[in-house]
């Protein structure tokens, strides 16, 4: 009975992930509360923690250093600062524990991933409706948080592309491709350039990795070419925004990124090991390190996760962060013949690429989606291993 109740909560979490932050947050809290109680009455929790100790060690190590960096910066976790506010949601990194504890059938994973797809489809609809009414830059249910919306698509699109490529029944394959292309179009309409560039690298790489048959590869390429031509014909302004990256001297928002990055490097050179303290980037940037030629003087982050973490938490914090995601990439790549492991790898790779142009770590709503998907796919690898399927490269 308890497992069924938690499964329903996971379905609610999946549906709310891209729609309602309060519902998503509260369902997650209930799941973790019950999981904490289970820690004292169910030995399976300890076994699960032992089996995932490498992931747990790196995650807790990173969050622990963030806490240290928060205290020496003066931004203790009890403040309302937008950066340290993420500390309240750092438990999302441990979603793989309740998933491993309460999800006991692979069929349940399929249902949760399906509901996540529905959540993404509802965002597609919101974007299309805004476009119909003349919006220049549509937003999702996350409103003006373009970065969080972009992460939502970056994490989920690679997963649904794998499902489309791996589906065996023709009707399901056609349906998957249809929903994937619609979501991809909606993602492009968000006009988040860094995210678009990341997907322009990840998606072709995935197709080249999964499709070895030349005829099938040619068919997929033709679908993308025709779809792109139609998209460009109907929405040329989306392409115009991507092309502004080439003219960064003329495009203010792009040139400002380079100025912010230069300021971040200056901050790093002055505080390379410990950084200026977690949550201090905005104050330090606006009062000490802003370039004289900068016009957007209200900027609050470095528009680059790695530079931001290095500036705020020093080389120690950045190293732990890179070690954590480096381990995830290595672990999933070694098991890449398993489609769940491949989902982890490509979603993570897309997210890390996008992190080069935005401070993704502070997007606690979208990061929850990433850790949720990570936990689901991690559990999927377990099921595959239990069924005797290969989880190592052939």
């Amino acid at each position: 009975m308890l497992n069924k109740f938690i499964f329903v909560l996971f379905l609610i979490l999946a549906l709310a992930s891209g729609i309602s932050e309060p519902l998503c947050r509260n369902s997650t809290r209930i799941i973790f509360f019950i999981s904490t109680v289970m820690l004292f009455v169910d030995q399976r929790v300890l076994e699960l923690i032992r089996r995932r100790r490498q992931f747990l060690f790196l995650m807790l190590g990173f969050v622990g250093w963030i806490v240290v960096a928060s205290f020496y910066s003066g931004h203790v976790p009890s403040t309302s600062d937008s950066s340290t506010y993420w500390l309240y949601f750092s438990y999302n990194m441990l979603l793989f524990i309740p998933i491993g504890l309460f999800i006991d059938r692979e069929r349940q994973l399929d249902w949760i991933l399906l509901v996540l797809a529905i959540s993404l489809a509802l965002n597609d609809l919101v974007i299309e409706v805004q476009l119909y009414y003349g919006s220049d830059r549509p937003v999702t249910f996350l409103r003006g948080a373009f970065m969080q919306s972009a992460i939502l698509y970056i994490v989920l699109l690679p997963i649904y592309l794998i499902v489309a490529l791996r589906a065996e029944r023709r009707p399901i394959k056609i349906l998957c491709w249809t929903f994937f292309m619609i979501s991809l179009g909606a993602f492009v309409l968000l006009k988040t350039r860094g995210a678009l560039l990341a997907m322009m690298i990840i998606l072709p790489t995935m197709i080249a990795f999964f499709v070895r048959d030349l005829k099938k590869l040619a068919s997929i390429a033709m679908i993308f070419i025709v779809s792109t031509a139609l998209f460009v014909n109907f929405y040329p302004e989306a392409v115009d925004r991507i092309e502004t990256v080439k003219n960064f001297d003329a495009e203010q928002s792009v040139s400002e990124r380079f100025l912010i990055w230069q300021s971040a490097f200056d901050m790093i050179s002055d505080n390379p090991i410990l950084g200026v303290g977690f949550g201090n980037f905005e104050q330090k940037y606006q009062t000490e390190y802003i370039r004289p030629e900068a016009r957007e003087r209200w900027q609050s982050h470095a528009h680059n996760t790695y530079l931001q973490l290095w500036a705020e938490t020093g080389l120690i914090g950045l190293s732990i962060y890179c070690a954590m995601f480096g381990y995830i990439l290595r672990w999933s790549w070694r098991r890449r013949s398993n489609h769940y492991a491949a989902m982890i790898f490509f979603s993570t790779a897309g997210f890390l690429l996008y992190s080069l142009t935005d401070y993704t770590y502070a997007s606690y709503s979208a990061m929850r989606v990433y850790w949720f998907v990570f936990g689901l796919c991690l559990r999927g690898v377990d099921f595959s291993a239990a069924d005797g399927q290969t989880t190592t490269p052939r």
Side-chain angles (χ1 to χ4, degrees):
M1 181 63 71
L2 180 61
N3 279 29
K4 291 182 179 178
F5 174 69
I6 300 296
F7 174 60
V8 171
L9 286 177
F10 277 130
L11 292 177
I12 294 173
L13 173 59
L15 184 61
S17 290
I19 297 175
S20 171
E21 167 58 25
L23 182 58
C24 192
R25 181 170 61 245
N26 290 325
S27 57
T28 305
R29 285 173 173 171
I30 296 173
I31 290 170
F32 271 105
F33 174 76
I34 296 175
S35 300
T36 303
V37 173
M38 295 295 289
L39 180 65
F40 300 98
V41 299
D42 194 331
Q43 291 297 317
R44 290 181 304 157
V45 182
L46 297 177
E47 172 60 25
L48 179 62
I49 291 175
R50 186 196 64 78
R51 193 153 41 89
R52 301 299 188 200
R53 60 186 180 277
Q54 293 91 346
F55 291 111
L56 190 63
F57 174 78
L58 290 168
M59 291 172 180
L60 293 181
F62 176 66
V63 174
W65 182 253
I66 292 298
V67 172
V68 172
S70 297
F71 276 99
Y72 76 70
S73 72
H75 289 69
V76 295
S78 60
T79 70
S80 60
D81 181 86
S82 59
S83 292
T84 55
Y85 188 55
W86 194 92
L87 285 171
Y88 287 111
F89 300 95
S90 59
Y91 57 81
N92 292 317
M93 302 171 76
L94 304 180
L95 270 167
F96 69 90
I97 294 178
I99 290 173
L101 184 63
F102 294 110
I103 300 299
D104 52 15
R105 293 191 303 275
E106 190 171 3
R107 186 72 173 171
Q108 292 176 316
L109 294 183
D110 295 338
W111 277 106
I112 295 173
L113 289 173
L114 175 61
V115 175
L116 270 170
I118 293 172
S119 180
L120 195 66
L122 290 173
N123 278 288
D124 299 342
L125 181 61
V126 168
I127 291 172
E128 294 293 340
V129 168
Q130 291 174 82
L131 194 70
Y132 177 79
Y133 284 103
S135 174
D136 177 61
R137 191 178 183 188
V139 297
T140 64
F141 280 104
L142 298 175
R143 301 297 178 185
F146 296 109
M147 177 171 58
Q148 300 215 43
S149 301
I151 295 174
L152 181 70
Y153 280 88
I154 281 177
V155 170
L156 293 178
L157 279 175
I159 288 176
Y160 298 119
L161 176 59
I162 291 175
V163 175
L165 290 170
R166 289 290 185 91
E168 296 180 357
R169 297 176 60 185
R170 188 174 183 83
I172 296 178
K173 183 178 288 290
I174 293 174
L175 184 63
C176 289
W177 272 111
T178 301
F179 276 101
F180 170 78
M181 295 304 294
I182 292 174
S183 293
L184 181 60
F187 166 69
V188 174
L189 291 172
L190 288 174
K191 300 180 182 179
T192 306
R193 287 169 296 200
L196 289 170
L197 291 173
M199 282 294 94
M200 288 171 65
I201 296 173
I202 289 297
L203 295 184
T205 302
M206 291 179 64
I207 292 173
F209 176 80
F210 284 104
V211 182
R212 305 300 173 85
D213 183 89
L214 292 180
K215 290 184 178 180
K216 188 176 181 180
L217 188 61
S219 299
I220 294 174
M222 184 58 65
I223 291 173
F224 273 98
I225 291 172
V226 172
S227 300
T228 302
L230 292 172
F231 187 88
V232 170
N233 181 64
F234 286 103
Y235 308 113
E237 64 276 5
V239 180
D240 292 340
R241 182 166 174 81
I242 299 175
E243 290 182 345
T244 60
V245 176
K246 298 185 298 184
N247 305 314
F248 61 85
D249 289 328
E251 180 71 18
Q252 179 180 327
S253 63
V254 177
S255 61
E256 287 290 330
R257 297 284 177 95
F258 285 90
L259 294 174
I260 293 171
W261 293 342
Q262 291 174 31
S263 296
F265 276 117
D266 292 339
M267 206 179 298
I268 289 167
S269 65
D270 290 342
N271 309 272
I273 306 301
L274 297 179
V276 298
F278 190 66
N280 272 353
F281 182 91
E282 179 178 2
Q283 185 267 332
K284 291 289 185 179
Y285 172 71
Q286 294 179 359
T287 60
E288 297 181 39
Y289 290 95
I290 191 168
R291 295 270 167 164
E293 60 269 35
R295 299 172 63 184
E296 298 180 359
R297 309 185 74 84
W298 61 86
Q299 292 286 353
S300 59
H301 59 84
H303 283 285
N304 182 301
T305 299
Y306 312 102
L307 292 180
Q308 178 98 12
L309 289 175
W310 195 354
E312 289 191 337
T313 66
L315 188 60
I316 296 175
L318 177 64
S319 298
I320 300 174
Y321 182 84
C322 292
M324 177 174 64
F325 281 105
Y327 181 80
I328 291 173
L329 288 175
R330 178 176 175 270
W331 185 92
S332 56
W333 178 253
R334 292 180 64 184
R335 295 159 176 80
R336 60 190 181 274
S337 60
N338 179 279
H339 64 279
Y340 287 112
M343 289 176 180
I344 293 176
F345 180 84
F346 287 108
S347 285
T348 303
F351 161 74
L352 293 177
L353 280 174
Y354 179 42
S355 298
L356 291 168
T357 57
D358 249 322
Y359 182 34
T360 54
Y361 174 74
S363 304
Y364 48 86
S365 298
M367 286 302 297
R368 182 190 292 115
V369 177
Y370 170 79
W371 293 116
F372 186 31
V373 168
F374 170 78
L376 292 172
C377 293
L378 199 63
R379 187 60 173 149
V381 173
D382 290 340
F383 287 130
S384 300
D387 291 338
Q389 299 178 24
T390 179
T391 58
T392 54
R394 287 192 181 97

